[in-house]
Amino acid sequence: MKLDNISKQLLEKIAGLHEIPAGAVSFRKDGKSQIVRSTANIEIFPKKDKPGIDIIIHSSCKNEACHIPVIVDENGLFDLVYNDFYIEEGAQVTIVAGCGVHSTDESGHDGIHTFHIGKNAVVSYIENHLATGSGKNKVMNPTTIIKMDEGSQMTMTTTQIGGVDYSNRITKATLKKDAVLNINEKIMTAGFNVAKTDFKVVLQGENSKCDIVSRSVARDESEQYFKSNIVGKNSCFGHVECDGILLNDARIDSIPRVSALNNQASLSHEAAIGKIAKEQIVKLMTLGLSKEEAERKIIEGFLK
């Protein structure tokens, strides 16, 4: 499939791709599937009863990648997909998802992703969101449901790069014995953007572990709302950390919560919101940077 320049630029930013890659791919544009391509170890099937796909990662899959980018540039289109991932026992896979919205009027994308992760499987999931174009009311509401079997591992990295007017990110996970979930979230808002995040992780199995790290920057008059709850039902470990930088007249509300339902659960949380320290800016300005350049460097390092 030949891509136009806008699609190429969005793919580069949300999925790190110059072109549609070889291997397992599902590419969706303006509410319609453009490419569905399977491999011997990763099979992709369009759903028959609703929009979306089923992806089966076979046990034979070892360190392969699956790309599932989405692009919306049609005005007034609000796309909705249901994607289910079935990762078999012992599989190792990297899944790269992302949505790019480019329109001159309101439009958006809601993706409901459910992961069924088999015993001892290892999953790296990367999800990037970006909105461009002159229009407003660009909306993205991703929902991620994670079901982890014994000994499985998942690293989830999500980035909301910019331009999204409203987002409500919901993540729910249940972990069985010895399962490990690491979540890294990065969000930047500006103008009148509103970004909401809601995590709930249930540590059900013995020795299950979860670590959530959220870093965000709020500029102008944008608003961010972070909420999390780690529930320990067994001998387990859970930690949530949310740090925010507040600029101009922006607002950040952070509500980390832990709920221990077993006396062997070890759970902790921390939250910090503040402005950039003046000393940091002055130090970089002594190296020849302007105030704006110094601020940008600090933010880049914070979100790295």
Side-chain angles (χ1 to χ4, degrees):
M1 177 184 178
K2 189 175 181 179
L3 297 172
D4 56 55
N5 288 334
I6 291 176
S7 295
K8 286 183 179 180
Q9 291 171 9
L10 289 176
L11 278 174
E12 173 67 21
K13 290 180 179 179
I14 65 174
L17 305 173
H18 293 286
E19 298 285 354
I20 297 295
V25 174
S26 172
F27 175 45
R28 183 179 180 87
K29 183 176 180 181
D30 291 334
K32 298 179 182 179
S33 178
Q34 304 293 322
I35 297 175
V36 176
R37 184 194 302 139
S38 300
T39 66
N41 299 316
I42 303 175
E43 293 189 277
I44 304 175
F45 302 97
K47 286 186 179 295
K48 296 180 179 180
D49 57 340
K50 51 188 173 183
I53 53 177
D54 291 327
I55 300 179
I56 301 174
I57 314 293
H58 293 293
S59 295
S60 55
C61 181
K62 304 299 178 185
N63 299 316
E64 292 186 31
C66 177
H67 294 272
I68 55 167
V70 173
I71 290 176
V72 175
D73 61 12
E74 182 179 320
N75 292 334
L77 174 65
F78 288 88
D79 191 24
L80 171 64
V81 294
Y82 298 83
N83 296 333
D84 283 80
F85 303 83
Y86 299 89
I87 298 97
E88 294 180 352
E89 180 177 348
Q92 300 172 2
V93 66
T94 296
I95 299 168
V96 183
C99 178
V101 174
H102 179 91
S103 60
T104 57
D105 200 352
E106 60 180 5
S107 56
H109 174 78
D110 293 358
I112 300 174
H113 292 178
T114 302
F115 291 83
H116 310 264
I117 305 178
K119 185 177 181 179
N120 296 324
V122 179
V123 178
S124 175
Y125 177 57
I126 302 168
E127 182 183 83
N128 298 324
H129 287 162
L130 169 71
T132 61
S134 58
K136 294 185 177 181
N137 298 322
K138 296 181 175 67
V139 177
M140 298 186 193
N141 297 315
T143 296
T144 306
I145 301 169
I146 305 167
K147 303 174 183 180
M148 301 185 68
D149 212 337
E150 292 184 14
S152 60
Q153 300 177 40
M154 182 175 184
T155 299
M156 176 177 169
T157 303
T158 66
T159 304
Q160 188 166 301
I161 302 171
V164 181
D165 294 294
Y166 180 88
S167 65
N168 187 13
R169 311 170 65 87
I170 298 173
T171 302
K172 300 178 181 179
T174 303
L175 282 64
K176 291 187 177 181
K177 180 181 177 181
D178 295 322
V180 178
L181 174 63
N182 295 308
I183 298 176
N184 296 285
E185 175 187 70
K186 302 172 186 176
I187 294 179
M188 180 181 290
T189 55
F192 293 93
N193 300 160
V194 175
K196 299 180 179 180
T197 298
D198 189 351
F199 291 106
K200 183 175 182 180
V201 179
V202 178
L203 300 173
Q204 193 173 69
E206 182 182 2
N207 199 38
S208 54
K209 299 177 182 178
C210 174
D211 187 41
I212 299 173
V213 178
S214 175
R215 294 185 181 275
S216 66
V217 177
R219 293 178 174 274
D220 305 324
E221 297 181 78
S222 63
E223 300 177 12
Q224 296 183 13
Y225 301 89
F226 175 90
K227 183 169 65 172
S228 67
N229 187 16
I230 299 180
V231 181
K233 291 189 173 183
N234 212 314
S235 174
C236 58
F237 172 82
H239 178 71
V240 57
E241 173 186 335
C242 46
D243 296 331
I245 291 179
L246 199 60
L247 301 171
N248 312 117
D249 296 317
R251 168 179 175 171
I252 298 177
D253 285 5
S254 183
I255 309 174
R257 176 184 174 189
V258 292
S259 303
L261 307 185
N262 185 293
N263 63 11
Q264 296 299 309
S266 177
L267 309 176
S268 60
H269 68 74
E270 57 182 291
I273 302 170
K275 62 181 181 180
I276 298 174
K278 183 178 179 180
E279 294 77 11
Q280 290 180 287
I281 294 178
V282 171
K283 183 177 180 180
L284 289 176
M285 290 178 68
T286 61
L287 299 176
L289 275 65
S290 67
K291 182 179 179 180
E292 291 74 20
E293 290 171 335
E295 183 179 279
R296 186 168 60 249
K297 284 289 184 183
I298 292 168
I299 289 174
E300 288 175 355
F302 177 74
L303 293 176
K304 187 172 289 185

